[in-house]
Amino acid sequence: FDEKQVEEGRNFATKLWNAARFRQMHGPSEATPDLSKHTLSIYAIEVLARLDATIDVIEDAYRSYRFSEVAQALYDFFWGDYCDWFVEAAKTDIFAEEPARKAAVLAVMDHALSAVLRLLHPFMPHITEELWALLALGGESIQFEAPPRKLDAGVLRAGAQERVKALYELVQAGRNLRSESRLPSNKKAQFVLQTTVDWVEAELPTLSRLLNAESVSLEPAYEAAPGVPIAATSLGKLHLLMVGGDKEAEAERLDREIAKLETDLQATVRKLSNSSFVDKAPPEVVTEHKQRQVDFTEKLTQLRAARQSLE
């Protein structure tokens, strides 16, 4: 018996309760939201796709009586995909002045919360019953509700997941820059994204919120001063603007990043050079590794150029 597991359960129950209360703050829920009548953001599409993937994992685990995997999949989706990423990104639309955008994101929240509560009910019957009634998501009791079904694929617009993946990667890179530069997470920062990807501009409000940034500007030809912290991402180079950048500290940080990427690239190349792996692995896995090789190579080129500029 480990008391830490009790604490984790308590924290998860608190997270679940707070997420439901946050939704309740913004008006009554829909028991059966019609997502097809809304124009969904790329963040909404991404979390819905993640939910469908989670349902697949759960159904497969139940067939083999792997109940701990069911619980872990639900924990990972709700805490990570839904709360940490989607809810934070969705606040841009919730607090926007356009009713249609707010209505769309609240409908997605109703869909996701309804599914999560039904899936969690066998593990957490009391709190799920309470929240089901609080949000008025269905009949008198959650115990009589059918399990959630996956969405019609037509709701999930092609390309949205790839864009959100790149944006979340950018946000994580920016947060890492802040941490490594010892810039408190609650302090506003300024970022410059050196990119030629045109669709990113429409996502700047959400990027600024997720990065807790005073501003995020797009400058394709930006030339950073020596010592300015930089991260290489699939969308371009991200610069954290700081007064009095430390060239030596930034050089050490870039050396660590380059060494790690070189190790990852070598491991990927070895796998792709192994005919046994290429012949036996599923085609999608091989394709994923080939894309990793391309991404690692591009990022290495960017980081080496940034390191050279400090000489």
Side-chain angles (χ1 to χ4, degrees), residues 1-288:
F1 179 77
D2 187 350
E3 287 189 4
K4 288 184 179 179
Q5 291 183 340
V6 179
E7 292 178 9
E8 289 177 2
R10 177 200 63 190
N11 294 341
F12 183 77
T14 301
K15 192 85 167 177
L16 186 64
W17 183 269
N18 288 340
R21 290 286 293 166
F22 178 79
R23 171 61 189 90
Q24 188 191 39
M25 288 168 52
H26 299 285
S29 298
E30 292 183 73
T32 54
D34 183 2
L35 299 182
S36 64
K37 72 178 183 181
H38 296 286
T39 300
L40 303 182
S41 71
I42 57 175
Y43 309 98
I45 292 170
E46 197 273 345
V47 80
L48 290 171
R50 292 274 188 179
L51 175 59
D52 279 2
T54 301
I55 292 174
D56 280 339
V57 170
I58 289 171
E59 290 179 347
D60 180 65
Y62 268 131
R63 292 188 190 99
S64 302
Y65 304 100
R66 302 191 309 272
F67 303 119
S68 62
E69 290 185 23
V70 176
Q72 190 63 53
L74 283 167
Y75 183 98
D76 292 342
F77 169 77
F78 184 73
W79 195 295
D81 298 321
Y82 183 80
C83 291
D84 287 354
W85 287 109
F86 172 66
V87 172
E88 292 306 311
K91 288 177 181 177
T92 304
D93 287 342
I94 288 176
F95 299 118
E97 296 181 358
E98 299 178 31
R101 290 171 59 187
K102 180 176 181 179
V105 77
L106 293 182
V108 172
M109 285 185 170
D110 290 340
H111 176 88
L113 285 172
S114 174
V116 166
L117 290 177
R118 282 178 283 164
L119 292 169
L120 279 172
H121 186 62
F123 298 88
M124 309 172 71
H126 301 292
I127 191 171
T128 50
E129 186 74 72
E130 180 73 15
L131 293 177
W132 187 263
L134 177 73
L135 296 174
L137 288 171
E140 292 184 3
S141 175
I142 191 175
Q143 65 181 315
F144 301 120
E145 297 294 329
R149 296 184 179 276
K150 292 169 60 178
L151 286 171
D152 180 354
V155 176
L156 306 180
R157 193 170 72 247
Q161 284 181 272
E162 288 75 14
R163 290 189 177 189
V164 174
K165 179 182 178 182
L167 289 168
Y168 286 169
E169 176 201 0
L170 179 71
V171 170
Q172 193 59 60
R175 290 174 177 174
N176 290 342
L177 284 181
R178 295 179 66 118
S179 175
E180 292 163 0
S181 303
R182 295 179 175 83
L183 188 66
S185 59
N186 61 353
K187 183 178 180 180
K188 293 287 186 180
Q190 292 183 323
F191 291 90
V192 173
L193 178 59
Q194 189 178 344
T195 185
T196 56
V197 181
D198 54 3
W199 58 261
V200 175
E201 186 172 5
E203 307 305 328
L204 288 182
T206 301
L207 275 178
S208 296
R209 177 181 294 278
L210 293 174
L211 285 167
N212 191 27
E214 182 179 331
S215 65
V216 179
S217 57
L218 303 182
E219 299 185 31
Y222 181 74
E223 293 185 8
V228 171
I230 179 176
T233 77
S234 58
L235 292 175
K237 297 177 184 177
L238 182 66
H239 306 267
L240 172 61
L241 302 190
M242 297 179 64
V243 177
D246 187 335
K247 288 178 61 176
E248 185 176 342
E250 179 61 7
E252 291 177 358
R253 190 188 68 79
L254 286 173
D255 286 340
R256 291 194 300 271
E257 287 288 317
I258 289 170
K260 181 180 182 302
L261 268 176
E262 286 176 339
T263 300
D264 292 341
L265 178 59
Q266 289 169 6
T268 303
V269 170
R270 280 197 299 270
K271 272 196 170 183
L272 291 174
S273 301
N274 185 337
S275 58
S276 178
F277 168 76
V278 174
D279 294 339
K280 295 179 180 178
E284 60 270 18
V285 174
V286 176
T287 301
E288 180 185 351

